[in-house]
Amino acid sequence: MDITDLVGSALKQGMAWGTDTVRQWRRRTGFDGPRPCDGLILDVDDTLIDTESAIRAAAQTAALEVWPQSTTATRERFAVLFHSDPHGYFTRYTEGRLRFHEMRKLRIAASAADVGLVWEPRRYRRFCSAYDPAFASAQRFHPDAMPAVEAAERWGIAVVLLTNSSNPATRMKLQVLGVSERFPHVVTTDTLGVGKPDPRVFEHACGLIGAAPELCVAVGDNYPNDVAAARAAGMRALWLDRTGTGAGGEPPSIRSLDELPEALRAAQ
Ligand SMILES: [Mg+2]
């Protein structure tokens, strides 16, 4: 098909040049240049979804349930520590050294101790029964997330979600956000029993879409796990640094997923 046929077909079907469908044809037929990669390996938490806000909101709700006499300031500090996990329990979970609920119990106990709250392990179920629904109802996409996914798909790039979260938590997030069907390829820490930065999860993600690692680009907010680890696994990688802290030791590749199409083109 040459450009005259393409414009003619679009006009015949009543489509204006520049609509999504025509843009898709333009990319598929090479008018917008070759596809910059075969696969996009996308992190989920704090890349597509604002997980930090959801964790903090849910932790405050659960703290109010378990420690009703605590002050708002104490619950907020508990939530900040529960999210930031300074003792590294989540990392131990992703390394396969802790099970999910062991990890969560340790995070609660450590965060409570750090802010002077008395934690009674028998209250774990009560904590979860407040935390889990609050976490589910706090799920939000970052506004730039789905437009970036759609831009990649219009280019014919296969998308895989690669997250260090658990399988049940990830399923819940995608279901609440109404995109379970939209992402058939999802790799969690439960898939292989380990998470990023283990190279096996990157290799597995590429294998799901039948793409060679060197033809895939990983994108995520965690420099060691999403960028350095992906590069070590033979992939290209873009670091999403939404806050511009530069903590990864190199300038951010992108500050927003709005910049993703251009960054993919430049990363060729
Ligand atoms: Mg992340």
Side-chain angles (χ1 to χ4, degrees):
M1 183 187 278
D2 66 17
I3 193 155
T4 314
D5 295 332
L6 193 64
V7 174
S9 303
L11 291 175
K12 228 181 279 172
Q13 294 184 41
M15 289 186 284
W17 186 258
T19 62
D20 279 354
T21 310
V22 176
R23 257 186 236 125
Q24 195 172 331
W25 286 0
R26 285 167 54 184
R27 285 194 177 142
R28 284 196 182 148
T29 51
F31 289 118
D32 280 358
R35 187 169 66 189
C37 58
D38 286 356
L40 193 58
I41 312 300
L42 275 177
D43 173 53
V44 176
D45 293 318
D46 296 315
T47 295
L48 297 181
I49 295 174
D50 184 1
T51 307
E52 178 173 347
S53 299
I55 289 177
R56 287 195 192 186
Q60 286 189 57
T61 301
L64 180 61
E65 176 68 25
V66 175
W67 299 286
Q69 309 301 328
S70 60
T71 64
T72 304
T74 301
R75 290 193 297 273
E76 282 172 359
R77 282 195 295 130
F78 169 82
V80 166
L81 287 170
F82 182 80
H83 167 263
S84 63
D85 186 26
H87 302 280
Y89 295 121
F90 190 77
T91 301
R92 284 163 62 183
Y93 161 68
T94 63
E95 291 167 349
R97 293 160 61 202
L98 281 177
R99 298 170 82 93
F100 183 83
H101 285 285
E102 291 171 331
M103 175 273 294
R104 188 187 261 183
K105 285 175 186 171
L106 288 165
R107 267 169 93 171
I108 298 167
S111 308
D114 287 350
V115 299
L117 292 167
V118 177
W119 170 241
E120 295 171 57
R122 66 184 173 84
R123 294 193 162 183
Y124 180 65
R125 285 182 70 172
R126 197 163 162 190
F127 182 96
C128 293
S129 68
Y131 182 94
D132 290 338
F135 184 61
S137 67
Q139 296 302 308
R140 303 280 183 278
F141 274 123
H142 281 289
D144 55 6
M146 290 313 289
V149 168
E150 283 155 16
E153 287 173 343
R154 280 198 300 269
W155 228 327
I157 297 169
V159 174
V160 181
L161 302 185
L162 174 57
T163 174
N164 271 0
S165 186
S166 71
N167 199 40
T170 305
R171 272 209 321 268
M172 177 280 290
K173 291 171 197 171
L174 299 180
Q175 195 173 353
V176 165
L177 292 166
V179 292
S180 299
E181 307 284 311
R182 216 172 176 303
F183 295 105
H185 306 300
V186 181
V187 181
T188 71
T189 288
D190 294 332
T191 307
L192 300 181
V194 290
K196 296 173 275 189
D198 194 303
R200 286 172 293 176
V201 294
F202 291 97
E203 287 155 16
H204 183 75
C206 298
L208 286 178
I209 52 171
E214 61 271 23
L215 296 177
C216 293
V217 177
V219 180
D221 68 297
N222 182 306
Y223 186 85
N225 282 350
D226 298 320
V227 179
R231 288 177 183 159
M235 303 167 60
R236 287 170 286 160
L238 296 170
W239 179 35
L240 170 65
D241 184 12
R242 291 188 179 279
T243 54
T245 55
E250 68 170 65
S253 309
I254 48 175
R255 292 284 304 272
S256 154
L257 291 174
D258 291 336
E259 300 166 39
L260 184 61
E262 206 45 56
L264 287 177
R265 226 177 257 125
Q268 274 181 285

